[in-house]
Amino acid sequence: MFRNVLNNPSTENPRQQVTAMETFVKKRSFISEARSPQKKIKLESDEGMEQDEEDEEFSHPVPWQKIEAEGLDCDYALLFSKEEADNLCKQLEEEVVYSTGEEAKVQVFGKVYDIPRKQATYGDAGLTYTYSRVTRLANSWTPTLEYIRDAVTKTTGQAFNFVLVNRYKDGQDHMGEHRDDEKELDPLCPIASVSLGAPRDFIFRHRDARGKQSLRQIEPVKLELAHGSLLLMNSPTNTFWYHSLPVRKKSSLPRINLTFRRIVVDRKK
């Protein structure tokens, strides 16, 4: 059984709290001022409404939803309007060059498979990222990727130097359960996931509740990531929770997902 925590965020009360045994969502909206979801915000308590004021303002005010469970901390918002998201999709289709050959394969339990989607890596000069036992070199930023990266940075206050682009041609393309916990990633920086195109289900599953021999009963958290949306996966989410994008046969349209990351350039520093 799944708990779907993003049905229609535009119609929900931003102060509403929904709680459950293992999963709960706290929704909040800051429309007059855009503040990073990493800032400390005090919500309603028994003593009344309190809120920490911050001097720093960002140029992309968005209504944020807080999504929380045991060890899971995410922030969700609609970052781009439909018109802008449509234009960004078209530009990315023209600009992004996807991997081929060995970089288009993945190794699972010693066997090599074709990745069930298209992938590309972009970022600052000289950066590499290793996952699934394949090291990928970052291509130079395209104008559209730079624009989206800067919008995410202005909204969140976080700087990113790398992006993994996944293109799903339709609902048959998918992504299996995994965690983005590679050692190259800055553990203090969230992973920022921008979705463009067809809405798709995104499922979190706690590491202790996976498989037939699971140690605990913890409900998965199911989101529907909308066109133009931004999902921030904050620490310690990728330590405790796996995530996936399962097959959805009824989905016939393409989707492009951009996961912005901060790779540690010099670990000694």
Side-chain angles (χ1 to χ4, degrees):
M1 179 179 179
F2 294 108
R3 186 166 302 280
N4 192 331
V5 299
L6 290 178
N7 291 321
N8 187 356
S10 62
T11 59
E12 296 280 0
N13 182 345
R15 297 295 182 189
Q16 180 182 5
Q17 288 195 359
V18 182
T19 60
M21 291 287 290
E22 294 291 345
T23 304
F24 62 93
V25 181
K26 289 189 285 189
K27 303 179 180 179
R28 60 197 182 202
S29 176
F30 305 108
I31 298 176
S32 60
E33 293 183 337
R35 303 189 185 281
S36 165
Q38 303 306 302
K39 304 291 183 183
K40 292 183 179 179
I41 302 294
K42 293 181 180 179
L43 297 178
E44 291 183 2
S45 65
D46 294 337
E47 298 177 357
M49 174 62 71
E50 293 182 274
Q51 188 166 307
D52 285 345
E53 294 296 332
E54 300 286 350
D55 294 330
E56 185 176 8
E57 293 186 4
F58 302 100
S59 62
H60 272 68
V62 294
W64 288 101
Q65 285 183 276
K66 172 61 73 176
I67 301 167
E68 292 180 313
E70 180 186 323
L72 185 147
D73 182 350
C74 294
D75 294 281
Y76 178 83
L78 290 177
L79 180 61
F80 300 111
S81 67
K82 182 182 183 303
E83 181 180 3
E84 188 170 14
D86 287 345
N87 290 333
L88 292 173
C89 244
K90 293 177 182 177
Q91 291 166 1
L92 290 175
E93 293 284 52
E94 296 176 359
E95 294 178 5
V96 175
V97 178
Y98 292 96
S99 300
T100 57
E102 292 302 313
E103 287 194 354
K105 298 180 183 296
V106 63
Q107 185 170 339
V108 180
F109 298 117
K111 295 185 178 181
V112 178
Y113 302 90
D114 290 332
I115 296 175
R117 59 194 176 277
K118 288 185 177 181
Q119 284 191 327
T121 51
Y122 288 82
D124 292 354
L127 283 182
T128 60
Y129 184 47
T130 302
Y131 63 97
S132 299
R133 299 186 180 181
V134 177
T135 298
R136 292 161 171 84
L137 177 66
N139 296 299
S140 299
W141 294 100
T142 73
T144 303
L145 289 174
E146 281 189 327
Y147 175 84
I148 299 172
R149 178 202 63 194
D150 292 346
V152 173
T153 292
K154 289 175 183 178
T155 303
T156 65
Q158 295 284 350
F160 303 91
N161 59 10
F162 186 90
V163 64
L164 175 64
V165 184
N166 282 293
R167 185 187 188 278
Y168 304 82
K169 68 179 185 301
D170 54 32
Q172 295 288 352
D173 280 4
H174 60 281
M175 176 181 63
E177 283 190 345
H178 70 285
R179 292 179 291 177
D180 295 326
D181 57 353
E182 288 77 17
K183 293 181 179 180
E184 297 107 309
L185 299 177
D186 184 344
L188 300 180
C189 181
I191 292 176
S193 175
V194 174
S195 296
L196 299 167
R200 290 285 295 272
D201 291 337
F202 190 75
I203 297 174
F204 286 103
R205 195 181 305 275
H206 195 281
R207 67 183 185 184
D208 293 341
R210 299 176 70 237
K212 296 180 180 179
Q213 304 299 322
S214 59
L215 301 175
R216 304 168 61 195
Q217 289 188 346
I218 303 175
E219 288 186 13
V221 177
K222 177 181 175 181
L223 320 178
E224 184 182 72
L225 302 182
H227 183 40
S229 66
L230 168 61
L231 176 70
L232 281 182
M233 290 183 280
N234 306 308
S235 177
T237 300
N238 273 295
T239 299
F240 297 102
W241 291 77
Y242 286 73
H243 56 270
S244 65
L245 192 95
V247 169
R248 290 294 180 261
K249 295 181 180 180
K250 293 183 179 180
S251 180
S252 60
L253 299 176
R255 171 183 185 263
I256 297 176
N257 178 249
L258 314 171
T259 47
F260 292 90
R261 304 148 192 258
R262 185 157 69 226
I263 293 177
V264 179
V265 178
D266 188 345
R267 291 193 183 93
K268 292 182 180 180
K269 291 183 181 180

